[in-house]
Amino acid sequence: MTTTTVPARAAWSAVVPAGHLLTITDLHGNQAVDCLVYDAHDTAVRYSAPDTIHAQGNIFLTTGSVLLSNEHTPLMTVVEDTCGRHDTVGGACSKESNTLRYGHHTWSQHACVDNFLAEGARHGLGKRDLVSNINWYMNVPVEQDGTLGIVDGISAPGLKVVLRAETDVLVLVSNCPQINNPCNGFEPTPVQMTIGDGTAA
């Protein structure tokens, strides 16, 4: 078993072998963890939000949710979730979206897209390999009229989500640096990533 504490605003990546468990622990509570998943042997096969949402008939992820690829094959399955709900539609913050939403003065702020590009480059991935991502622990309610909100999280210190790799997968994470909305409680904090052999979470 390997455990890594990912600092606030930082990126992380690892290959999780088939059958192994990845546990993402929200150490301090209310910290969004942006995540992308790829087939470790063919990164053209990667997490697909549309396939995943369509297959499960739900825009939120929780225990039992299967993360499907763009080829409709299973990449990972959520086998335990003590938070209860995670976002699939809010996307990753970027310099461009920060400027549009919060003003030009935010242009220089670090963003999840920066993390994904820097960490992905270590595995031969580039901008064209970025797709719609998962936001673990992020609370994005959808109103009756389709309006999305980014509001205070429903997580708490020590809550975790556990995923089982259904094939060898490459997981990229951006421990979200956003400070302009409540997704991180306006103060990003560390999270913990644990990879186990499947016998214990």
Side-chain angles (χ1 to χ4, degrees):
M1 180 179 293
T2 60
T3 297
T4 303
T5 298
V6 183
R9 303 178 175 87
W12 175 91
S13 64
V15 171
V16 183
H20 284 54
L21 299 178
L22 172 64
T23 301
I24 306 171
T25 305
D26 189 359
L27 294 175
H28 299 276
N30 207 19
Q31 173 62 38
V33 182
D34 291 40
C35 181
L36 290 168
V37 184
Y38 303 82
D39 184 310
H41 304 290
D42 180 4
T43 55
V45 179
R46 69 277 304 266
Y47 169 72
S48 168
D51 285 82
T52 300
I53 292 168
H54 181 263
Q56 68 174 359
N58 195 329
I59 63 170
F60 301 112
L61 301 176
T62 188
T63 304
S65 297
V66 180
L67 309 185
L68 293 179
S69 75
N70 53 328
E71 295 190 352
H72 213 73
T73 54
L75 294 171
M76 305 187 87
T77 300
V78 181
V79 296
E80 184 180 352
D81 174 22
T82 58
C83 179
R85 192 176 78 183
H86 306 268
D87 169 63
T88 59
V89 296
C93 59
S94 66
K95 293 181 182 300
E96 292 79 9
S97 65
N98 280 344
T99 300
L100 182 65
R101 292 172 178 165
Y102 310 113
H104 190 72
H105 67 282
T106 66
W107 173 257
S108 62
Q109 292 177 2
H110 195 57
C112 283
V113 169
D114 301 318
N115 276 342
F116 281 145
L117 289 173
E119 194 67 20
R122 299 179 57 230
H123 305 278
L125 301 173
K127 187 172 289 188
R128 68 179 57 197
D129 298 301
L130 299 188
V131 294
S132 296
N133 60 285
I134 300 160
N135 293 306
W136 302 113
Y137 302 109
M138 188 166 160
N139 189 15
V140 183
V142 180
E143 306 298 337
Q144 289 291 339
D145 63 359
T147 302
L148 300 181
I150 298 176
V151 299
D152 287 338
I154 57 174
S155 184
L159 295 189
K160 64 181 180 179
V161 58
V162 184
L163 302 113
R164 182 182 64 236
E166 304 299 349
T167 187
D168 297 345
V169 292
L170 169 64
V171 179
L172 298 187
V173 157
S174 169
N175 193 19
C176 184
Q178 182 61 256
I179 58 173
N180 301 292
N181 69 48
C183 72
N184 300 321
F186 300 102
E187 184 180 355
T189 53
V191 296
Q192 183 175 278
M193 314 295 291
T194 301
I195 299 175
D197 63 6
T199 59

